[in-house]
Amino acid sequence: MKKVLITGGAGFIGSHVVRLFLSNHPDYEIYNLDKLTYAGNLENLKDVEGNPNYKFIKGDITDAAFINTLFDENKFGVVIHLAAESHVDRSISNPLEFVTTNVIGTVNLLNAAKKIWDCNKDKPVRQDRIFYHVSTDEVYGSLGETGFFTEQTSYDPQSPYSASKASSDHFVRAYFNTYNLPVVISNCSNNYGANQFPEKLIPLFIHNIRNNKPLPVYGDGKYTRDWLWVVDHARAIDLIMHKGELGETYNIGGFNEWQNIELIKLMCSIMDKKLARKPGESEKLITYIKDRPGHDRRYAIDAAKLNKNLGWKPSVTFEEGLEKTIDWYLANEEWLKHLTSGEYQKYYEQQYAAR
Ligand code: NAD
Ligand code: DAU
C-alpha cells in the first residue's frame, strides 16, 4: 500500500487529483492535507469521502511542528504538493500571505520529507520516494507576440504570486541538488473546469453571464492565456509522478491560446444558446475596467517534452472542455450558492469534526 500525501486537495485542482488517484490507484492510501482557506471546499470531494482509501486531514503547511509530527507518524512515500495561495489579484493586495504559504509552507514540507526519507548528498537519490511540486507557467514571466515557454526558459516572475511560486520551485530544486531529495516539478498553464473558485476568469464570467451582471474585462482584453482542462492537468500529474525523471521539470499546457476577449465572446455565445437568449445578448454585459497592475501579456506553454518523453496529450478539445464546464456550473447552482452564503465553510464541522 503506497501512502500518498496530497496537499491542497480540497482546492480546485487538488480535488481533481485526489479523485483521479483514488480511481486510478485503488492500492494507494490517499491523505488529503488542507487548511480549508476560503479556497478549500470539502463539498468538492463529497463523492469520495466514503472511500476507505481516502483520509482528510485539516492542517496548515506553515506550521512546521505539525507537519513534522504528521510526517513522522505517517511515513508518506509520496508527496504531491498543491497547497498554495493561487490568485494573482489577491497576491497584489496581500503579498506576505503568499510568501508564508507558498514559500515557507513548501520549505516545511521539504524539510519533513528530507527527514523521514533520510536524504543527504552522501546517499544516492532514492528511487522509491517522490516529492512532486505542482507549479505554474507564470514563473517564466510574460511572452511577446510569438514564442513559447520551454523548460529552459529563464524564470522572470512579475507578480507577487508568481514570485512566490518561483521561489518555491527554486527551493525544491535546491533540495534535490543539496540533499538528493527525490523531486519532480511541473509548470502548468491556466486550468479551467468544475469546482473552480469563482474569482478566476472562467467561473466568474459564467456566473455573471447567467445572472446578467457586468463582465469586468481588465485593460484592453487582449491578454492571452493557454487554457487546459483541469482533468488533463490531473492526468499529467499522475503520469509524471509515475514515469517522470527525478530532478526534472515538465511543462504542461494545452497548445490552446486565447485572447481574453475572444474567449469571453465565445463563452457569451455558448451561454446565449444555453440560456435561450438572443444571439449577442450576453456580450452586452462586457465592461472594460482598470487593468491589473503588472498584468502579464501572454502565456504559452511548449509541452513537447511531456508529449515526446511520456506520451501525454490533452484528452478533450477546448470546445468540448468549455462546454462540459459551462454545463457543470449551470447544473450545480447549489455548489455556487454555498460559496456565496459561506455554507461550504461549515461542511467540515458538520461532516468531519465529529468523527
Ligand atoms: P486553489 O486556490 O483552488 O486551492 C488551494 C488549496 O490549498 C485550497 O484548498 C486551500 O485551502 C489550500 N491551502 C492554502 N493554504 C494552505 C495552507 N497553509 N496549508 C494547507 N492548505 C492550504 O488553487 P488551485 O487553482 O487548485 O491550484 C493548486 C496548485 O496548482 C497551486 O500550487 C497553484 O499554484 C498551481 N497551479 C494552478 C493553476 C491554475 O490555473 N489554477 C495552474 C498551474 C498551477
Ligand atoms: O497560468 C497559470 C495561472 O493561471 C495559475 O498559476 C494561477 O493560480 C491562476 O489563477 C491563473 O492565473 P491568471 O491570473 O492567468 O488567471 P485569472 O483567471 O485570474 O485571469 C485570467 C485572465 O483574465 C488574466 O489575463 C486576467 C483576466 N481577467 C481576470 C479576471 C478574474 C479579467 O480580465 N477579468 C477578471 O475579472
Side-chain angles (χ1 to χ4, degrees):
M1 191 57 118
K2 234 182 208 169
K3 280 192 164 190
V4 178
L5 176 71
I6 298 179
T7 72
F12 165 50
I13 301 171
S15 59
H16 288 275
V17 175
V18 166
R19 184 175 297 105
L20 189 81
F21 269 66
L22 284 168
S23 141
N24 284 359
H25 307 290
D27 53 331
Y28 291 2
E29 263 179 275
I30 305 294
Y31 292 77
N32 172 11
L33 167 65
D34 200 296
K35 181 182 172 183
L36 300 181
T37 67
Y38 81 93
N41 184 354
L42 284 175
E43 294 190 13
N44 294 349
L45 287 168
K46 268 185 182 170
D47 56 322
V48 302
E49 67 192 23
N51 188 316
N53 294 341
Y54 171 69
K55 188 171 176 207
F56 176 71
I57 303 160
K58 186 169 189 285
D60 187 342
I61 59 168
T62 70
D63 181 345
F66 161 75
I67 291 294
N68 285 327
T69 308
L70 183 73
F71 275 62
D72 281 343
E73 284 175 0
N74 289 284
K75 303 277 184 289
F76 304 113
V78 175
V79 177
I80 304 179
H81 175 36
L82 296 108
E85 287 297 332
S86 70
H87 193 47
V88 174
D89 294 328
R90 286 179 192 257
S91 82
I92 294 167
S93 39
N94 192 356
L96 203 53
E97 198 171 0
F98 283 66
V99 177
T100 310
T101 300
N102 299 357
V103 185
I104 298 176
T106 301
V107 176
N108 284 338
L109 294 166
L110 290 166
N111 280 336
K114 173 168 89 63
K115 181 165 170 261
I116 62 162
W117 298 342
D118 196 19
C119 296
N120 64 62
K121 205 64 184 174
D122 300 329
K123 295 182 182 160
V125 178
R126 288 185 72 151
Q127 302 296 312
D128 59 344
R129 299 283 183 271
I130 181 161
F131 188 105
Y132 187 132
H133 181 58
V134 176
S135 193
T136 170
D137 60 355
E138 298 200 8
V139 299
Y140 298 123
S142 185
L143 289 164
E145 284 189 3
T146 57
F148 292 91
F149 298 134
T150 73
E151 289 80 2
Q152 278 70 48
T153 304
S154 301
Y155 277 30
D156 187 20
Q158 302 293 315
S159 73
Y161 163 68
S162 52
S164 70
K165 290 297 289 188
S167 171
S168 65
D169 290 12
H170 290 319
F171 272 103
V172 173
R173 278 195 201 95
Y175 273 62
F176 177 74
N177 292 321
T178 310
Y179 307 111
N180 276 353
L181 189 79
V183 307
V184 73
I185 300 177
S186 57
N187 296 87
C188 187
S189 63
N190 284 62
N191 285 214
Y192 69 94
N195 299 115
Q196 187 169 31
F197 197 86
E199 61 188 353
K200 309 274 170 30
L201 181 76
I202 290 185
L204 175 70
F205 278 41
I206 295 173
H207 177 66
N208 285 9
I209 295 171
R210 176 192 214 161
N211 294 293
N212 269 310
K213 287 179 158 176
L215 304 177
V217 179
Y218 297 165
D220 65 1
K222 293 188 177 162
Y223 293 85
T224 299
R225 297 292 182 265
D226 174 357
W227 293 94
L228 181 68
W229 189 42
V230 62
V231 176
D232 283 328
H233 186 186
R235 286 175 52 245
I237 291 173
D238 189 6
L239 186 66
I240 294 167
M241 190 214 115
H242 289 92
K243 302 261 168 61
E245 212 174 305
L246 294 174
E248 288 288 309
T249 290
Y250 294 87
N251 279 353
I252 310 172
F255 287 105
N256 179 43
E257 285 183 57
W258 284 82
Q259 266 192 1
N260 292 341
I261 193 63
E262 296 307 323
L263 167 59
I264 292 160
K265 286 182 180 165
L266 174 64
M267 288 169 62
C268 287
S269 76
I270 298 175
M271 295 280 287
D272 278 345
K273 287 190 201 118
K274 304 239 175 233
L275 301 172
R277 290 183 184 164
K278 277 196 242 130
E281 193 66 21
S282 300
E283 268 192 33
K284 291 184 193 151
L285 299 167
I286 291 175
T287 312
Y288 288 90
I289 63 162
K290 191 164 176 267
D291 211 348
R292 173 187 278 176
H295 199 168
D296 288 331
R297 193 66 174 165
R298 175 172 167 258
Y299 303 146
I301 277 276
D302 180 349
K305 175 175 171 183
L306 181 59
N307 174 255
K308 262 199 222 132
N309 296 7
L310 305 186
W312 176 89
K313 58 178 185 352
S315 68
V316 296
T317 64
F318 185 55
E319 286 69 18
E320 287 164 348
L322 188 61
E323 177 122 14
K324 273 180 202 282
T325 302
I326 290 175
D327 287 343
W328 187 88
Y329 285 95
L330 292 180
N332 286 276
E333 211 180 344
E334 192 73 359
W335 179 86
L336 202 62
K337 271 198 188 134
H338 284 189
L339 287 189
T340 342
S341 67
E343 185 75 9
Y344 77 111
Q345 286 176 314
K346 297 186 196 139
Y347 192 77
Y348 173 76
E349 298 303 330
Q350 290 163 353
Q351 298 296 324
Y352 284 80
R355 285 183 197 176

